[in-house]
Amino acid sequence: MAQPPPPPPPSPPPPHAVATPGRDAPGNTLPARDRRFDMQLSRVLIWGTMAAGAVIAISAIVLVATQGRSTVRFTTFDPGLANGQSVAKVIHGVAALDPRSLLLLGVIMVIATPVLRVAFSLITFAIERDRLYVLITAVVLAVLGYSLFLAR
């Protein structure tokens, strides 16, 4: 009995596409510009997260080193520095090397990282002249801005 012929080899991806391992399906391809866009966005998130983590870690070390012997009462909540803080007060505290302000700066950076990602996406979509995604991203950025700065 004769064996059936082997299947034909898979066709190569189009010249404008590159392979993206680890995507939903094996051998999935994205256009090169989309791949670059993904890489740039991932760098924004990675570096923002790493910077925020470093600031939080340094501030925690400084806080423990300077105020580590303070008595902590867990029976009552004291909002302390966080109550009524503004970004300007935090930056002023960071300039004075206040460890609590450094910690709050790290938290602000954690919140700002995804917002920067949305802003970066808006710029990228505008460069690509993708009007629909510019509109959608602008609405998302406006909602984020409202919720962060204007909502009470």
Side-chain angles (χ1 to χ4, degrees), residues 114-130:
V115 176
L116 285 174
R117 180 185 190 270
V118 174
F120 182 81
S121 298
L122 178 67
I123 293 167
T124 304
F125 291 137
I127 290 170
E128 293 179 354
R129 301 188 195 289
D130 191 338

Side-chain angles (χ1 to χ4, degrees), residues 7 9-10 14-15 22 24 29 34 38 49 59 63 66 73 75-76 78-79 105-106 110 116 128 132 147-148:
D24 299 335
T29 59
D34 289 344
D38 280 351
T49 304
S59 65
L63 189 63
T66 59
R73 289 187 224 133
T75 57
T76 59
D78 180 18
L105 176 66
V110 166
L116 285 174
E128 293 179 354
L132 177 62
S147 66
L148 289 173

Side-chain angles (χ1 to χ4, degrees), residues 67-93:
Q67 300 173 11
R69 298 191 188 273
S70 302
T71 305
V72 178
R73 289 187 224 133
F74 291 107
T75 57
T76 59
F77 174 70
D78 180 18
L81 186 65
N83 191 14
Q85 275 298 338
S86 67
V87 174
K89 288 181 183 177
V90 171
I91 292 172
H92 180 70

Side-chain angles (χ1 to χ4, degrees), residues 3-105:
Q3 292 185 338
S11 60
H16 67 279
V18 294
T20 55
R23 289 289 188 176
D24 299 335
N28 189 13
T29 59
L30 286 175
R33 68 179 167 82
D34 289 344
R35 180 73 176 134
R36 284 191 304 271
F37 176 71
D38 280 351
M39 291 302 296
Q40 290 169 340
L41 281 179
S42 68
R43 286 185 188 117
V44 168
L45 291 173
I46 289 169
W47 285 104
T49 304
M50 286 175 48
V55 169
I56 290 172
I58 290 168
S59 65
I61 290 168
V62 172
L63 189 63
V64 169
T66 59
Q67 300 173 11
R69 298 191 188 273
S70 302
T71 305
V72 178
R73 289 187 224 133
F74 291 107
T75 57
T76 59
F77 174 70
D78 180 18
L81 186 65
N83 191 14
Q85 275 298 338
S86 67
V87 174
K89 288 181 183 177
V90 171
I91 292 172
H92 180 70
V94 167
L97 296 178
D98 175 47
R100 291 182 185 193
S101 293
L102 283 168
L103 189 63
L104 288 175
L105 176 66

